Amino acid sequence: QPFSPLPPADAKWPTPSGITETVAREKCRSALQHSQLWTCPILNRATLVDANFEDCVTDILFSDSYDFVEFAVASFTDECLLALSKDPSNYTPDASGKLLLKSEYSSTTDVCAGSCFP
């Protein structure tokens, strides 16, 4: 179906195609829990999870599809990586002494792009 830039004001569960809120919540929960950084060790992790989870559910409601679920996971991953990159304890030196984001975090994407700690 073509993308509609303005969601219907009266969107409600179930969606026109029959997606229920319960199914949408399970789809979003499962997607986020399978993200590589689900256990993201940052102070505001719960807030980060909740915000991306609710955005995901809302996207399903208004789009009547699962097309945006992957974006909730990508957003969660990016926000977690950005938070991790700000903590000096998440860096290790390479052979030349240059500090690099720990491999368990940096292997997901290049979040730093020259703007992280040292």
Side-chain angles (χ1 to χ4, degrees):
Q1 84 184 13
F3 175 73
S4 173
L6 297 174
D10 62 344
K12 58 186 175 214
W13 302 105
T15 65
S17 72
I19 299 172
T20 65
E21 183 176 7
T22 301
V23 170
R25 288 184 170 282
E26 183 50 39
K27 184 81 165 179
C28 293
R29 182 176 295 109
S30 177
L32 286 168
Q33 287 176 340
H34 285 93
S35 77
Q36 186 172 356
L37 291 174
W38 173 245
T39 59
C40 183
I42 59 173
L43 291 177
N44 64 342
R45 181 185 172 280
T47 302
L48 182 61
V49 169
D50 290 347
N52 283 282
F53 176 77
E54 291 303 327
D55 286 350
C56 179
V57 173
T58 300
D59 286 344
I60 293 172
L61 173 62
F62 286 113
S63 69
D64 190 18
S65 75
Y66 301 115
D67 293 346
F68 297 99
V69 171
E70 67 188 74
F71 295 109
V73 175
S75 177
F76 170 77
T77 300
D78 289 347
E79 291 175 54
C80 177
L81 281 170
L82 186 58
L84 289 169
S85 73
K86 294 177 182 179
D87 182 350
S89 70
N90 289 322
Y91 289 81
T92 57
D94 67 6
S96 69
K98 179 181 175 187
L99 290 177
L100 301 173
L101 197 59
K102 290 180 181 177
S103 62
E104 60 264 34
Y105 307 134
S106 63
S107 62
T108 59
T109 187
D110 182 17
V111 70
C112 291
S115 63
C116 292
F117 184 81

